[in-house]
Amino acid sequence: MRMRALSACRLKGKWLPVRHAGVPKGACGLALLWLALCSAAIPQQAHEHGAGSPMAGSPMAGNVVGSVSSPGRVPANQPPYQAPSTRKMASLLRATFEATDWKLDANKPEQRVRYYQSMLEQRKLGWSDDAVVRLQLAKELLSAGQSEAAVATLENLKERLRAAGKTLSTSAEQQVEEWLAISYLRLGEQENCAHTHGQRACIFPIRASAMHQLPRGAEGAVKELTALLKADPANAEAMWLLNVAYMQLGRYPKEVPAALLIPSRGFDSDQGFAEFPDLAGAAGLDVTSHAGGAILEDLDGDGLLDVMVSSSGPLDQMHLFHNNGDGTFVGCDGAGGPTGRGRRTQSRRDGLQQ
């Protein structure tokens, strides 16, 4: 798993955390612990689980690995059973997460957002230090998924500098424009690829069917990336992202400046691979979480491959999807997963309690 070291900036003699990416050291082991211990939620003994088992009355009951009989059905007003070991594991995970240093833990951008916000509210900073803090705040907002707030923070920073007649160094100004461009691109992805997701959303190269219906993110990215390339025409990353943004707007290749256009042949594959449209939503397998792992296994002995997925988010819920045999799946993690925060939905298969 790729990891990237945390960097830092120095402000008034103090080291502050700076934008970082990747998974913190130890996350791989934590995920494996989570995956291994999650099996504790599977019924082991009829006398231990009884009528409180999450598998009660389900076609999976009696066939699940580790079970020896079919427990009773879960009443509608009663949460599914959690084994003591599962509850202990959830407590251990939460305690481990809460004990990590928020200044260094990649999974705690919200705490750093509050820290930088408090600096701006409570301290009288010079314009240079103020710019450093606002840039770091925007990076953490972006890491926390608050793309619109990141855009607003960076646009506000640029306006404050203009109003004060101040200019940043060339490298610092480039950083602001780069992060603003990325924030705009992320905003466009959230408003279009996530909130109005289609089967071909975000499949590259972007076709007309995946064109962004809400264009402000891609339009903002075009503006910032064009400015970057005006200052540095050799910036290959900015040129690539500019062409992507024009694709998102449905204006590629006609409206891309000739000097900045990457011809469509540059996106062609050497091999004739077919596109894979995103069918997860239609199949009932769509989950919004961090990247993680997946296991395909016939967990109930019915001859069909079921799916279990994990997440690198320390407090994210694992998900188990039962194969309906008709190309669709139904989530059956219920409230009995590692964190006890699972979904509770109506099954499309008789007797399967969620």
Side-chain angles (χ1 to χ4, degrees):
M1 182 176 294
R2 183 182 65 181
M3 294 190 232
R4 186 177 301 169
L6 181 70
S7 56
C9 68
R10 191 172 180 85
L11 177 63
K12 292 188 180 300
K14 296 180 66 177
W15 286 102
L16 304 176
V18 181
R19 168 80 174 109
H20 52 277
V23 179
K25 184 178 181 181
C28 298
L30 192 61
L32 290 174
L33 170 67
W34 192 341
L35 183 61
L37 292 180
C38 128
S39 62
I42 299 178
Q44 300 290 321
Q45 304 257 353
H47 73 269
E48 178 185 358
H49 300 278
S53 167
M55 309 303 296
S58 123
M60 299 171 69
N63 292 319
V64 177
V65 175
S67 68
V68 294
S69 63
S70 299
R73 181 182 296 272
V74 179
N77 61 349
Q78 178 179 328
Y81 173 83
Q82 273 191 320
S85 55
T86 300
R87 293 194 296 270
K88 182 178 180 180
M89 186 238 341
S91 298
L92 174 61
L93 287 170
R94 182 171 293 279
T96 302
F97 175 73
E98 292 176 351
T100 60
D101 188 348
W102 61 269
K103 295 185 291 296
L104 301 175
D105 190 340
N107 293 291
K108 293 185 175 179
E110 292 86 358
Q111 288 90 325
R112 291 187 291 276
V113 165
R114 292 193 292 269
Y115 173 73
Y116 287 125
Q117 288 174 335
S118 69
M119 289 187 68
L120 295 172
E121 294 168 358
Q122 300 172 13
R123 302 186 189 182
K124 189 173 182 179
L125 302 173
W127 73 268
S128 180
D129 289 341
D130 181 88
V132 170
V133 172
R134 291 182 189 276
L135 177 57
Q136 301 311 319
L137 172 60
K139 293 176 183 180
E140 297 299 343
L141 284 166
L142 190 62
S143 183
Q146 301 180 46
S147 304
E148 187 169 13
V151 166
T153 298
L154 291 171
E155 290 286 13
N156 178 258
L157 170 57
K158 293 176 66 174
E159 180 57 37
R160 291 171 68 89
L161 291 171
R162 281 193 294 266
K166 303 294 185 179
T167 57
L168 298 173
S169 66
T170 301
S171 60
E173 185 175 351
Q174 180 178 343
Q175 276 197 61
V176 171
E177 289 179 345
E178 287 176 346
W179 282 105
L180 184 52
I182 294 298
S183 298
Y184 270 121
L185 285 171
R186 185 71 57 80
L187 176 62
E189 291 170 353
Q190 287 176 324
E191 290 186 331
N192 295 273
C193 302
H195 296 167
T196 57
H197 190 76
Q199 290 187 358
R200 284 176 170 74
C202 298
I203 295 179
F204 187 81
I206 298 171
R207 309 297 185 188
S209 60
M211 187 179 72
H212 285 192
Q213 301 303 308
L214 302 174
R216 63 171 179 162
E219 288 175 345
V222 166
K223 178 188 68 174
E224 296 303 322
L225 292 166
T226 301
L228 273 170
L229 288 163
K230 183 177 181 180
D232 180 14
N235 189 328
E237 181 180 2
M239 185 180 295
W240 177 274
L241 292 176
L242 178 69
N243 281 259
V244 171
Y246 271 108
M247 287 182 187
Q248 293 171 336
L249 293 169
R251 291 156 48 186
Y252 172 92
K254 292 184 178 179
E255 298 185 36
V256 183
L260 305 177
L261 175 66
I262 299 176
S264 60
R265 63 179 179 274
F267 306 129
D268 293 339
S269 173
D270 293 336
Q271 302 296 327
F273 292 114
E275 286 188 356
F276 291 89
D278 187 350
L279 304 177
L285 286 171
D286 51 333
V287 173
T288 301
S289 68
H290 296 80
I295 294 174
L296 276 71
E297 181 60 74
D298 181 7
L299 296 173
D300 59 355
D302 63 357
L304 301 171
L305 292 177
D306 307 302
V307 179
M308 177 177 283
V309 295
S310 64
S311 166
S312 61
L315 300 181
D316 285 356
Q317 173 78 35
M318 290 191 70
H319 296 277
L320 172 62
F321 295 93
H322 180 267
N323 192 329
N324 292 325
D326 59 0
T328 66
F329 295 77
V330 61
C332 53
D333 40 275
T339 65
R341 298 186 296 112
R343 302 175 295 164
R344 198 170 184 80
T345 57
Q346 181 62 43
S347 170
R348 287 179 291 171
R349 180 161 181 158
D350 293 341
L352 183 61
Q353 295 294 321
Q354 297 185 66

